Amino acid sequence: MARTRLLLFALVWLSCVWFGSWALNPNNATRIYAGIALVERGDARIDAYQALTIDKAEFGGHFYMDKAPGMTLLSLPAMAIADHVGRPLEYVPPTIYDASFEHYMTVRLRLAVAMVSAVITALAALAMHDLGYRLTGSASGALVASLGFALGTPVWGWSTTLFGHAPVAGLFVIAVWALWRASEGRAMRFAAIGGAALGLAVLIEFEAALAGSVIAIWGALRLWRADRRAVAAAAVAGLVTLLVPFMTYNLIAFGTPFRLGYQGVVGFAGMDQGLFGLTTPKPMALLKILVGMRRGLLWVAPVLIPAFVGLWLLGRKHRELAVMLAAAALTVLLVNSAYVYWDGGHSTGPRHSVPAIGLIAIGLAPFWARLRFTWERALTVALLLVSMVINLMIAAANITTPDTYRFPLADPILTNWQRGELRTLPSDFLGWSPAAGVVAYLVPVLLLTGLMLARRPTKR
């Protein structure tokens, strides 16, 4: 089992690192600009770069990142390493269409992904594997759930970025796993891990507090019956993980411990509606989030279809867990449908719903464990492979599809593959063709997969 999990971590981490997103996408760029400012000047102002991104906030005549600070703070070691190995930027180009500037930004994005996004997703895949095995006793079911979550959904593509969606999805999985383990023994340690994961999720995306609260309440009730001290350990870990870096960043950036970048957002009038753009859930938007041609989750992650059934099956034995997972996932989806910019602008699939994916994917393990016939398992594996191929195509081609495309899987995703417009590690830095970069990826992936499947899965 330890060998399988080591290989699983390597497979997921490599897959996230190998492919890349555009470093100058405003959502990536504003976080990188803030990281550069903190590392090179010790402040958080992005005045020099503000004309190069539409994602920004303005306070007192100065410009700042308009996002939650979590991803930027986690990426600071990557920014420092990039400066140490290379050199700080000596100029700011007048436009983003500058090859040397794009390379400068791409190096920092790739390092940050390797050290932050990819690591969180790979750790979440391990947590999914362990949780799935403990819930069902099926090693193969646990593997299906972890691969389905990490590589069979847009979690893969968003893990090649500095957007917060995939890390929050991963941290939710880690929190559920840790809080479940806390009631089985070593309560204080696992409770602290669970609390810290939820605190970090909110530091990365503020709206994670809503679905995170559902997980936290379930965890507190579960721990209260096992070890009441563990509830305090989880609460303290969560608050420290959230408040200490949040307040520190605010003091450096704004001189006050409590301020949200969204309070000064520039250029998005919809953010003035409701609570920073959150109004009331809209049924039609929710329908489009799930099955719409332009943003439908099930188009880009068909492996989640049996996962919904799996959550219902899970409820037969672990009712409280299943109800919590369904409630937390529904919270994410409803918050997405209530957001003024619910479609996420440039996005392949509904990016604001990505944090629900891990909560739903847990259902794959009990679904697999209940299959009795070979043909049922063959169909499930086929669906998993189709989902992995779809998300390989998305991760390599374009996770941030412009909102003008009607059905992104056909155009631009398939079109980009036909044209060879892909982003791989060797093609970005070694001058290889995109096709050669994809083939070079498949070699270690097939090796790692073969080693994982070399031993026949056993049931506990």
Side-chain angles (χ1 to χ4, degrees):
M1 189 68 73
R3 177 182 128 175
T4 297
R5 289 174 182 166
L6 179 62
L7 293 170
L8 176 63
F9 181 93
L11 173 62
V12 173
W13 182 85
L14 178 66
S15 298
C16 297
V17 168
W18 197 270
F19 301 102
S21 62
W22 189 37
L24 295 174
N25 174 284
N27 219 309
N28 279 327
T30 193
R31 290 180 166 97
I32 298 174
Y33 297 150
I36 292 170
L38 288 167
V39 167
E40 296 183 3
R41 300 193 311 273
D43 65 50
R45 289 178 290 185
I46 62 169
D47 294 349
Y49 307 99
Q50 63 88 14
L52 307 180
T53 178
I54 60 173
D55 286 353
K56 55 196 171 188
E58 183 177 5
F59 296 99
H62 293 287
F63 292 90
Y64 303 85
M65 169 182 66
D66 63 343
K67 313 297 180 186
M71 290 303 291
T72 291
L73 297 177
L74 290 172
S75 301
L76 291 182
M79 304 300 165
I81 290 172
D83 274 0
H84 180 73
V85 174
R87 61 180 180 179
L89 190 67
E90 296 177 350
Y91 73 100
V92 176
T95 71
I96 60 176
Y97 301 105
D98 180 287
S100 59
F101 181 65
E102 183 172 354
H103 177 76
Y104 169 88
M105 293 287 286
T106 300
V107 169
R108 280 149 181 79
L109 173 63
R110 291 290 199 156
L111 278 173
V113 165
M115 297 174 67
V116 182
S117 304
V119 171
I120 293 176
T121 298
L123 289 175
L126 298 189
M128 179 80 74
H129 189 277
D130 187 61
L131 180 62
Y133 184 70
R134 290 176 181 277
L135 291 174
T136 66
S138 171
S140 54
L143 188 59
V144 167
S146 54
L147 289 176
F149 158 71
L151 302 181
T153 72
V155 165
W156 185 355
W158 293 112
S159 296
T160 69
T161 74
L162 280 186
F163 290 56
H165 314 306
V168 169
L171 289 165
F172 277 174
V173 171
I174 292 170
V176 172
W177 162 79
L179 293 173
W180 180 270
R181 289 292 309 271
S183 63
E184 296 180 342
R186 291 180 287 184
M188 299 288 283
R189 177 188 306 178
F190 284 110
I193 293 173
L198 291 176
L200 185 55
V202 178
L203 185 67
I204 291 173
E205 294 284 355
F206 293 135
E207 63 269 25
L210 300 173
S213 295
V214 177
I215 301 172
I217 292 171
W218 163 80
L221 293 175
R222 181 175 174 81
L223 291 176
W224 190 260
R225 295 191 292 265
D227 187 341
R228 296 182 181 181
R229 296 175 303 167
V231 178
V236 170
L239 290 173
V240 169
T241 304
L242 169 62
L243 293 180
V244 171
F246 174 69
M247 295 171 67
T248 302
Y249 170 81
N250 279 343
L251 286 170
I252 294 173
F254 312 119
T256 178
F258 295 104
R259 175 172 287 177
L260 304 181
Y262 291 117
Q263 292 175 276
V265 71
V266 174
F268 291 91
M271 296 296 287
D272 294 330
Q273 299 183 33
L275 180 63
F276 300 121
L278 288 180
T279 56
T280 57
K282 302 170 184 65
M284 186 54 65
L286 181 60
L287 183 64
K288 292 178 180 179
I289 287 166
L290 290 173
V291 297
M293 295 286 288
R294 190 164 66 96
R295 286 290 182 267
L297 177 61
L298 297 183
W299 286 104
V300 292
V303 74
L304 293 181
I305 296 173
F308 286 106
V309 179
L311 288 181
W312 178 74
L313 293 171
L314 179 65
R316 293 181 175 182
K317 186 176 181 180
H318 302 289
R319 180 180 177 82
E320 292 179 357
L321 174 61
V323 169
M324 180 277 292
L325 292 173
L330 181 60
T331 299
V332 174
L333 296 173
L334 290 176
V335 169
N336 189 171
S337 73
Y339 188 38
V340 171
Y341 304 108
W342 66 267
D343 67 347
H346 289 205
S347 173
T348 307
R351 65 184 178 92
H352 294 297
S353 289
V354 168
I357 287 176
L359 303 169
I360 300 168
I362 291 173
L364 286 170
F367 176 83
W368 178 271
R370 291 297 298 270
L371 299 180
R372 293 293 177 263
F373 300 103
T374 301
W375 66 267
E376 293 175 316
R377 296 194 172 192
L379 285 177
T380 304
V381 170
L383 185 61
L384 172 62
L385 291 176
V386 168
S387 292
M388 291 173 69
V389 169
I390 288 173
N391 285 282
L392 166 62
M393 294 176 63
I394 292 173
N398 195 352
I399 190 61
T400 53
T401 298
D403 53 7
T404 54
Y405 290 89
R406 182 174 179 272
F407 187 53
L409 288 183
D411 186 18
I413 303 303
L414 184 58
T415 302
N416 282 5
W417 274 79
Q418 292 171 340
R419 295 174 179 172
E421 297 175 357
L422 311 175
R423 299 180 191 275
T424 71
L425 202 59
S427 57
D428 276 357
F429 295 103
L430 300 178
W432 293 19
S433 70
V438 172
V439 171
Y441 163 75
L442 293 176
V443 172
V445 162
L446 293 175
L447 176 61
L448 290 169
T449 304
L451 290 173
M452 276 196 297
L453 300 178
R455 294 181 180 181
R456 183 182 179 84
T458 58
K459 285 190 175 183
R460 183 168 57 184

